[in-house]
Amino acid sequence: AITAAAAKLINTPYDAKQGSLIVFFDDAAVPTIEATAASFAATRGDAGDAAVLTRSGIAPVDEVLQGLEITSLRRVFPYTPRHEERTRAAGLHKWYVVTFDEQADLEAAALKLAAVAEVRNVEFNTKLYVTSVGPRRPLTAADMAATRAAAAGRFNEPQLSRQWHYNNNGDKTVASTSRAGADINAQDAWAITAGNPGVVVAIVDQGVKYTHPDLAANMWINTQEKNGATGADDDGNGYIDDIYGYNFVTRGAVSWDREVWVGGENKGDSGHGTHVAGTVAAVNNNGVGVCGVAGGTGRNDGVKLMSCQIFSGNDATSGAITTSAEAIKYAADNGAVIIQCSFGSKAGTYTSDSAYERGSGVQYNAIKYFIESQNCDAVGGGVVIFAAGNDATAMSGYPGAYHDYISVTSFSPDYLPAYYTNYGPGCNISAPGGDYKISADAAKTYAEVLSTVPSELSEYNGADYGFMQGTSMACPHVSGVAALGLSYALEKGKKFTLDEFKTMLLTSVNEIDSRLGEGSKATIADVSIYRGKMGTGITDAYQLLMQIEGTPCLQVALGEVQLIPLTQHFGQGAEDLTYTDIKMSAKDMEKLGIKAAPKMYNGKLMIKCTKPGSAKIKVSAIAGGTKPGTGVVMGGMVITKEFAVIARSAGAANGGWL
């Protein structure tokens, strides 16, 4: 009997919450539990989540629960009238979470529940962790007064030039090893689009400070709840007063300032969720603070941020896997198309997709539900983006490592991997996450990522902005880039399958491997161990927009004359065509540091760029002959292709093998 019960335990109690178990009931048991819950709620006059059930109505289950001194039995995914049919079709109504005495033997309790015939599986409620690392520092008055290298800015934010991760001009006050172009190419993307409120990004994290002066205008708002009665579920989605999202830990309003000091360190809220949210969509062009990747142009046109809070202080359910699962389903049910997830399990907790599917069944099924949701006309499903983790380990942490989700690694302003980043199997793409150890001034952290923070937290001392680092900070850059891509697709009236969009996102990159030859940086003894393991490359917002509109991109290395074949664009006969014209504006040539006008040479585009950046170029050729047809001369047809030139510095010409 013990062996049969043990087979129903789908993970281990390692790093699990005490006094909590997840139970997946079989089909025959569910009607009895639901009838018991309905009777209990009617007796108390409660509704939905307000009713705290302590028995199932199934005798052998209740016998075990009574012995555990149960405090609650509830559905992981509460009943919601609007979404119940789809919830049941996905089988999510069969997941329950049991809470009981934290002193009880967790594994023994799990075995007792698993021994009951009506229980199909028992899952330990694994802990999850935010993926920022190292010190956190506020942006001080001294920082704001300090001089810094000028950076061209499309928007009027006073601290935009400190956000090297958007537009890195090689500012040595950030780090002595800063390299121009080590960024996400946001400035050129913003010339095309800066966001669209039809795109909702769920920040599954600590609570987002929805009153922040640089976030308030871009917060998702549940208008029925905002305009409804306090203490009522005005929109019938199963949650009370969820105006800007919901706190799934305290089961109430979103919060962001619950400090818990232990041994001189704050173990509670750190501002993590607010910082991540600012990178995705702090309001742009409002003359305040910082920019967000998809924060709009200051005309209420940024993407919307939904706060799905799964970490709050040090509450017993803070960071529990059940909390994340419920939050992700909420995001699906309430309109989010991207879930931004800077959290996960420690690298090595799972080492295969099948192990994750089984061991984190409740979360896996919630994410599957999210992926299958249709909340944006530009894409056929939900986009899932996770941080790879900060264990400096040669594998991504799960859930990010799962093949359907995007896992983000971290690099620094020196164009090299950050010392803490995970890398290798499961890692899909890289983005700026910062590295305080390479900051030009050891007392400063300018080489970290600057974003919004809650001024209420004592460690920020009234500051609204601060520096953090981690794959946590890299992840929202990719979420923001994805949000920009969907925004542009909406504006263009285009729709892609989910696989098409993820493919475009993961191929809109600048390479990193050529820099990873034998050698070191201040924080890494041998950077070559990362070669081929950081994902497809460094995310590039402009390139994604080019893919959305259908404009091919030409990658150009700085400082050398490049001969770029155009065969894939003009066909196999490209070398034999007669090219009649190449057009590039003087402004764009100056922007890329092009001194000699580009020309065609043996069917290849000859170009030399000396500055990093992006610009458009048009190339014309004759199809059918050497001269164009005119009114008096038979000839060919003039065909014209437009390209986006992406100029970035490169590492060793031999691809990094030194």
Side-chain angles (χ1 to χ4, degrees):
I2 294 178
T3 302
K8 293 184 183 180
L9 305 186
I10 61 177
N11 60 350
T12 72
Y14 169 74
D15 211 22
K17 295 285 184 182
Q18 294 298 311
S20 178
L21 287 169
I22 307 162
V23 181
F24 188 66
F25 286 101
D26 66 19
D27 292 337
V30 171
T32 301
I33 301 172
E34 291 178 341
T36 303
S39 174
F40 181 69
T43 301
R44 289 171 50 94
D46 291 331
D49 205 32
V52 181
L53 192 65
T54 56
R55 59 188 180 87
S56 68
I58 302 170
V61 174
D62 289 340
E63 183 178 344
V64 175
L65 296 181
Q66 186 176 358
L68 293 175
E69 299 182 24
I70 181 177
T71 55
S72 71
L73 170 69
R74 69 172 183 86
R75 272 176 49 165
V76 174
F77 309 102
Y79 171 80
T80 61
R82 283 193 291 155
H83 304 289
E84 185 65 11
E85 182 178 353
R86 187 172 167 229
T87 300
R88 300 181 84 85
L92 297 184
H93 64 299
K94 294 184 280 188
W95 289 97
Y96 281 75
V97 59
V98 181
T99 57
F100 49 89
D101 182 5
E102 290 188 13
Q103 303 305 313
D105 184 319
L106 191 61
E107 191 165 12
L111 284 168
K112 288 178 182 177
L113 277 169
V116 177
E118 289 83 357
V119 171
R120 185 179 297 177
N121 287 310
V122 177
E123 181 177 334
F124 294 98
N125 206 352
T126 307
K127 296 177 185 177
L128 301 169
Y129 299 89
V130 296
T131 47
S132 61
V133 63
R136 300 182 289 268
R137 190 175 74 84
L139 181 73
T140 65
D143 293 327
M144 290 185 272
T147 57
R148 54 191 182 273
R154 185 164 300 278
F155 300 134
N156 61 9
E157 272 65 22
Q159 300 305 320
L160 175 56
S161 59
R162 287 229 184 269
Q163 295 182 288
W164 60 267
H165 29 105
Y166 298 159
N167 181 34
N168 191 337
N169 64 351
D171 183 355
K172 302 305 180 187
T173 66
V174 172
S176 59
T177 53
S178 288
R179 295 289 299 276
D183 54 44
I184 67 166
N185 207 3
Q187 293 281 5
D188 289 331
W190 288 336
I192 301 168
T193 187
N196 185 301
V199 176
V200 179
V201 181
I203 308 298
V204 187
D205 207 294
Q206 290 181 5
V208 177
K209 182 181 177 181
Y210 51 80
T211 59
H212 193 287
D214 231 357
L215 296 174
N218 280 347
M219 291 303 300
W220 171 82
I221 297 175
N222 186 342
T223 53
Q224 285 182 271
E225 290 290 344
K226 185 175 183 179
N227 300 328
T230 301
D233 180 12
D234 299 287
D235 64 341
N237 72 348
Y239 296 88
I240 293 170
D241 297 338
D242 56 321
I243 298 173
Y244 305 99
Y246 195 69
N247 185 332
F248 296 90
V249 180
T250 64
R251 312 208 66 76
V254 171
S255 64
W256 53 82
D257 57 355
R258 303 182 71 206
E259 296 183 317
V260 182
W261 291 88
V262 179
E265 183 180 358
N266 178 18
K267 297 289 188 180
D269 292 347
S270 64
H272 191 272
T274 300
H275 195 276
V276 162
T279 298
V280 176
V283 180
N284 295 336
N285 216 33
N286 63 349
V288 174
V290 298
C291 284
V293 179
T297 64
R299 296 190 290 268
N300 198 29
D301 55 353
V303 304
K304 295 302 181 184
L305 299 165
M306 176 190 292
S307 184
C308 294
Q309 186 171 359
I310 66 169
F311 300 97
S312 184
N314 69 339
D315 292 66
T317 55
S318 182
I321 203 164
T322 46
T323 313
S324 73
E326 185 182 356
I328 289 164
K329 182 180 183 293
Y330 176 94
D333 286 342
N334 290 280
V337 65
I338 297 170
I339 48 172
Q340 152 54 41
C341 304
S342 285
F343 66 88
S345 303
K346 295 177 180 178
T349 301
Y350 298 112
T351 55
S352 72
D353 285 2
S354 59
Y356 166 71
E357 286 181 23
R358 176 172 169 79
S360 293
V362 68
Q363 184 187 71
Y364 165 75
N365 280 280
I367 298 177
K368 185 174 184 289
Y369 180 94
F370 177 84
I371 288 173
E372 293 171 354
S373 300
Q374 181 60 60
N375 288 329
C376 177
D377 290 340
V379 66
V383 182
V384 179
I385 304 177
F386 275 91
N390 303 328
D391 308 293
T393 299
M395 67 177 72
S396 172
Y398 278 88
Y402 192 74
H403 70 272
D404 273 348
Y405 318 155
I406 293 169
S407 174
V408 185
T409 62
S410 175
F411 73 91
S412 312
D414 57 6
Y415 244 135
L416 297 173
Y419 73 91
Y420 51 79
T421 188
N422 288 345
Y423 57 99
C427 298
N428 304 120
I429 195 169
S430 194
D435 187 340
Y436 83 95
K437 293 183 179 180
I438 67 166
S439 292
D441 181 341
K444 308 295 184 184
T445 54
Y446 297 144
E448 293 187 302
V449 170
L450 176 62
S451 186
T452 48
V453 295
S455 55
E456 295 87 346
L457 291 172
S458 57
E459 62 187 295
Y460 297 117
N461 196 28
D464 285 316
Y465 305 91
F467 297 88
M468 292 187 189
Q469 68 171 11
T471 54
S472 271
M473 284 59 249
C475 186
H477 283 87
V478 176
S479 293
V481 169
L484 278 184
L486 293 178
S487 296
Y488 195 41
L490 284 177
E491 293 162 20
K492 287 287 189 179
K494 293 190 174 185
K495 180 167 184 175
F496 303 95
T497 68
L498 183 57
D499 285 344
E500 285 172 339
F501 181 75
K502 289 191 295 185
T503 298
M504 288 191 293
L505 179 62
L506 294 178
T507 56
S508 298
V509 295
N510 294 307
E511 64 86 31
I512 191 173
D513 281 352
S514 67
R515 306 169 202 289
L516 304 179
E518 302 297 334
S520 64
K521 60 181 274 188
T523 55
I524 298 173
D526 180 10
V527 297
S528 69
I529 65 172
Y530 296 90
R531 190 188 296 119
K533 298 176 181 177
M534 292 291 286
T536 53
I538 294 170
T539 190
D540 186 309
Y542 179 82
Q543 286 190 51
L544 179 58
L545 301 188
M546 291 301 97
Q547 288 212 56
I548 295 292
E549 72 175 35
T551 300
C553 295
L554 304 177
Q555 304 279 349
V556 178
L558 294 183
E560 298 178 357
V561 175
Q562 303 282 299
L563 288 172
I564 304 174
L566 298 182
T567 305
Q568 69 181 95
H569 307 295
F570 280 97
Q572 290 299 314
E575 292 186 7
D576 300 321
L577 292 177
T578 298
Y579 292 89
T580 60
D581 194 20
I582 297 177
K583 290 183 179 178
M584 191 176 206
S585 71
K587 181 179 178 181
D588 281 346
M589 288 178 60
E590 193 282 328
K591 175 184 176 184
L592 299 185
I594 299 174
K595 297 189 170 49
K599 63 180 182 180
M600 295 301 297
Y601 179 79
N602 288 341
K604 297 180 176 67
L605 177 65
M606 180 184 288
I607 188 171
K608 180 179 179 180
C609 302
T610 61
K611 298 178 184 177
S614 310
K616 294 282 188 72
I617 189 170
K618 289 183 178 180
V619 178
S620 298
I622 298 173
T626 59
K627 296 180 180 180
T630 68
V632 295
V633 177
M634 182 186 298
M637 176 187 297
V638 176
I639 55 176
T640 301
K641 287 268 190 177
E642 184 175 52
F643 303 95
V645 174
I646 313 294
R648 284 291 185 274
S649 63
N654 60 1
W657 294 97
L658 301 181

PDB file of all heavy atoms in Angstrom, residues 266-280:
ATOM      1  N   ASN A 266      16.575  42.639   4.759  1.00  0.00           N
ATOM      2  CA  ASN A 266      15.156  42.614   4.446  1.00  0.00           C
ATOM      3  C   ASN A 266      14.824  41.344   3.676  1.00  0.00           C
ATOM      4  O   ASN A 266      15.233  41.166   2.531  1.00  0.00           O
ATOM      5  CB  ASN A 266      14.778  43.842   3.607  1.00  0.00           C
ATOM      6  CG  ASN A 266      13.304  43.837   3.212  1.00  0.00           C
ATOM      7  OD1 ASN A 266      12.499  43.130   3.809  1.00  0.00           O
ATOM      8  ND2 ASN A 266      12.957  44.619   2.214  1.00  0.00           N
ATOM      9  N   LYS A 267      14.070  40.444   4.316  1.00  0.00           N
ATOM     10  CA  LYS A 267      13.668  39.187   3.697  1.00  0.00           C
ATOM     11  C   LYS A 267      12.269  39.276   3.096  1.00  0.00           C
ATOM     12  O   LYS A 267      11.726  38.281   2.613  1.00  0.00           O
ATOM     13  CB  LYS A 267      13.707  38.051   4.728  1.00  0.00           C
ATOM     14  CG  LYS A 267      15.083  37.765   5.304  1.00  0.00           C
ATOM     15  CD  LYS A 267      15.994  37.111   4.296  1.00  0.00           C
ATOM     16  CE  LYS A 267      17.287  36.659   4.938  1.00  0.00           C
ATOM     17  NZ  LYS A 267      18.193  36.015   3.957  1.00  0.00           N
ATOM     18  N   GLY A 268      11.683  40.455   3.154  1.00  0.00           N
ATOM     19  CA  GLY A 268      10.348  40.638   2.606  1.00  0.00           C
ATOM     20  C   GLY A 268      10.402  41.227   1.211  1.00  0.00           C
ATOM     21  O   GLY A 268      11.243  40.871   0.393  1.00  0.00           O
ATOM     22  N   ASP A 269       9.520  42.183   0.932  1.00  0.00           N
ATOM     23  CA  ASP A 269       9.468  42.792  -0.397  1.00  0.00           C
ATOM     24  C   ASP A 269      10.719  43.623  -0.651  1.00  0.00           C
ATOM     25  O   ASP A 269      11.198  44.347   0.229  1.00  0.00           O
ATOM     26  CB  ASP A 269       8.231  43.679  -0.517  1.00  0.00           C
ATOM     27  CG  ASP A 269       6.940  42.877  -0.519  1.00  0.00           C
ATOM     28  OD1 ASP A 269       7.011  41.643  -0.681  1.00  0.00           O
ATOM     29  OD2 ASP A 269       5.871  43.483  -0.362  1.00  0.00           O
ATOM     30  N   SER A 270      11.232  43.523  -1.870  1.00  0.00           N
ATOM     31  CA  SER A 270      12.465  44.226  -2.228  1.00  0.00           C
ATOM     32  C   SER A 270      12.256  45.249  -3.335  1.00  0.00           C
ATOM     33  O   SER A 270      13.211  45.906  -3.752  1.00  0.00           O
ATOM     34  CB  SER A 270      13.511  43.211  -2.699  1.00  0.00           C
ATOM     35  OG  SER A 270      13.069  42.567  -3.887  1.00  0.00           O
ATOM     36  N   GLY A 271      11.037  45.372  -3.823  1.00  0.00           N
ATOM     37  CA  GLY A 271      10.784  46.239  -4.968  1.00  0.00           C
ATOM     38  C   GLY A 271      10.995  45.527  -6.290  1.00  0.00           C
ATOM     39  O   GLY A 271      10.931  46.147  -7.353  1.00  0.00           O
ATOM     40  N   HIS A 272      11.222  44.226  -6.235  1.00  0.00           N
ATOM     41  CA  HIS A 272      11.531  43.424  -7.417  1.00  0.00           C
ATOM     42  C   HIS A 272      10.456  43.536  -8.496  1.00  0.00           C
ATOM     43  O   HIS A 272      10.760  43.761  -9.680  1.00  0.00           O
ATOM     44  CB  HIS A 272      11.701  41.972  -6.977  1.00  0.00           C
ATOM     45  CG  HIS A 272      12.267  41.046  -8.000  1.00  0.00           C
ATOM     46  ND1 HIS A 272      11.488  40.382  -8.912  1.00  0.00           N
ATOM     47  CD2 HIS A 272      13.539  40.656  -8.241  1.00  0.00           C
ATOM     48  CE1 HIS A 272      12.255  39.612  -9.675  1.00  0.00           C
ATOM     49  NE2 HIS A 272      13.506  39.749  -9.291  1.00  0.00           N
ATOM     50  N   GLY A 273       9.195  43.387  -8.112  1.00  0.00           N
ATOM     51  CA  GLY A 273       8.113  43.442  -9.096  1.00  0.00           C
ATOM     52  C   GLY A 273       7.980  44.806  -9.737  1.00  0.00           C
ATOM     53  O   GLY A 273       7.713  44.926 -10.945  1.00  0.00           O
ATOM     54  N   THR A 274       8.164  45.865  -8.942  1.00  0.00           N
ATOM     55  CA  THR A 274       8.073  47.223  -9.474  1.00  0.00           C
ATOM     56  C   THR A 274       9.231  47.502 -10.422  1.00  0.00           C
ATOM     57  O   THR A 274       9.063  48.161 -11.456  1.00  0.00           O
ATOM     58  CB  THR A 274       8.068  48.234  -8.315  1.00  0.00           C
ATOM     59  OG1 THR A 274       6.941  47.963  -7.471  1.00  0.00           O
ATOM     60  CG2 THR A 274       7.985  49.655  -8.804  1.00  0.00           C
ATOM     61  N   HIS A 275      10.413  47.001 -10.095  1.00  0.00           N
ATOM     62  CA  HIS A 275      11.594  47.188 -10.944  1.00  0.00           C
ATOM     63  C   HIS A 275      11.404  46.491 -12.297  1.00  0.00           C
ATOM     64  O   HIS A 275      11.653  47.076 -13.368  1.00  0.00           O
ATOM     65  CB  HIS A 275      12.825  46.636 -10.223  1.00  0.00           C
ATOM     66  CG  HIS A 275      14.133  47.068 -10.797  1.00  0.00           C
ATOM     67  ND1 HIS A 275      14.713  46.434 -11.868  1.00  0.00           N
ATOM     68  CD2 HIS A 275      14.986  48.070 -10.442  1.00  0.00           C
ATOM     69  CE1 HIS A 275      15.871  47.021 -12.150  1.00  0.00           C
ATOM     70  NE2 HIS A 275      16.059  48.015 -11.303  1.00  0.00           N
ATOM     71  N   VAL A 276      10.954  45.247 -12.247  1.00  0.00           N
ATOM     72  CA  VAL A 276      10.707  44.474 -13.462  1.00  0.00           C
ATOM     73  C   VAL A 276       9.653  45.165 -14.328  1.00  0.00           C
ATOM     74  O   VAL A 276       9.805  45.290 -15.551  1.00  0.00           O
ATOM     75  CB  VAL A 276      10.266  43.047 -13.084  1.00  0.00           C
ATOM     76  CG1 VAL A 276       9.597  42.343 -14.238  1.00  0.00           C
ATOM     77  CG2 VAL A 276      11.461  42.243 -12.583  1.00  0.00           C
ATOM     78  N   ALA A 277       8.579  45.638 -13.695  1.00  0.00           N
ATOM     79  CA  ALA A 277       7.501  46.299 -14.432  1.00  0.00           C
ATOM     80  C   ALA A 277       7.999  47.543 -15.149  1.00  0.00           C
ATOM     81  O   ALA A 277       7.597  47.821 -16.288  1.00  0.00           O
ATOM     82  CB  ALA A 277       6.362  46.659 -13.480  1.00  0.00           C
ATOM     83  N   GLY A 278       8.876  48.301 -14.506  1.00  0.00           N
ATOM     84  CA  GLY A 278       9.407  49.512 -15.113  1.00  0.00           C
ATOM     85  C   GLY A 278      10.207  49.233 -16.363  1.00  0.00           C
ATOM     86  O   GLY A 278      10.163  50.007 -17.333  1.00  0.00           O
ATOM     87  N   THR A 279      10.948  48.137 -16.373  1.00  0.00           N
ATOM     88  CA  THR A 279      11.697  47.786 -17.576  1.00  0.00           C
ATOM     89  C   THR A 279      10.754  47.445 -18.717  1.00  0.00           C
ATOM     90  O   THR A 279      10.973  47.838 -19.866  1.00  0.00           O
ATOM     91  CB  THR A 279      12.644  46.607 -17.292  1.00  0.00           C
ATOM     92  OG1 THR A 279      13.596  47.000 -16.296  1.00  0.00           O
ATOM     93  CG2 THR A 279      13.391  46.178 -18.545  1.00  0.00           C
ATOM     94  N   VAL A 280       9.685  46.754 -18.429  1.00  0.00           N
ATOM     95  CA  VAL A 280       8.715  46.420 -19.474  1.00  0.00           C
ATOM     96  C   VAL A 280       8.028  47.677 -19.995  1.00  0.00           C
ATOM     97  O   VAL A 280       7.961  47.898 -21.211  1.00  0.00           O
ATOM     98  CB  VAL A 280       7.658  45.420 -18.965  1.00  0.00           C
ATOM     99  CG1 VAL A 280       6.592  45.173 -20.042  1.00  0.00           C
ATOM    100  CG2 VAL A 280       8.301  44.109 -18.556  1.00  0.00           C
TER     101      VAL A 280
END
